[in-house]
Amino acid sequence: IEYPSDRVRLDMLEEAVQICRAMFTGDDVTFTGKHYRLDHARNLPRPVQPGGPKIMIGGGGEKRTLRLVALYADKCNVTGDVGTLAHKIEVLHRHCADVGRDPAEVDVTWMAPLILTTSDENTAEVRTMLAASASAEEVAAFTVGQPHQIPDLVAGHIEAGADEVIFSFAFADTAGIAAVGEAFGLSRS
């Protein structure tokens, strides 16, 4: 199977997002692009939320992806350490200025793999294991710690401008999810 180049995939994404926005807001949508075509498409039932569901574009590509966010998205999902997040937000804000959009209209979410540990020793072991198997940049993208430590571990990302934190919690169980929620002051109701 031939996989399209990054340029082609981003062209396809741009058309797809234009179609989604049109389908969320219009009743009879016609679209002709290089990759997609619609003739009098209807979206029934209509979205419950005015303007349709929020559109989130994930990625931190500074030339195209973040520009697509500025043009079409309601949310931007990025990864990386605090410095990377702050830089990506700056780039997004520049793109918003270029297209005449208020950056406050775009929520920034930060996503990180989360590994819960049971003790300081366990945390050190997991960090050592990660360091042995990945680059420093990849390791910096992980959030590793005991449930009560997680709020402090993500505080820098919130200060850098993340409106929301999304954890990729591969080894989650209900107790771990509940413990993280409680550490953030979220109730189980």
Side-chain angles (χ1 to χ4, degrees), residues 10 13-14 16-18 20-21 24 49 51-60 65-79 92 101 105-112 162-167:
L10 286 168
L13 174 63
E14 182 166 11
V17 173
Q18 290 173 10
C20 289
R21 182 68 70 205
F24 294 159
Q49 180 178 343
K54 301 283 185 192
I55 293 176
M56 176 190 287
I57 295 178
T65 305
L66 292 176
R67 184 169 176 79
L68 291 177
V69 170
L71 286 166
Y72 305 111
D74 304 296
K75 292 185 173 209
C76 173
N77 188 42
V78 295
T79 61
L92 173 61
R101 185 169 186 196
E105 295 175 9
V106 181
D107 288 338
V108 175
T109 64
W110 170 70
M111 185 170 73
D163 298 302
E164 186 176 328
V165 173
I166 301 171
F167 290 122

Side-chain angles (χ1 to χ4, degrees), residues 156-173:
H157 288 84
I158 306 257
E159 291 169 14
D163 298 302
E164 186 176 328
V165 173
I166 301 171
F167 290 122
S168 169
F169 202 177
F171 305 108
D173 60 13

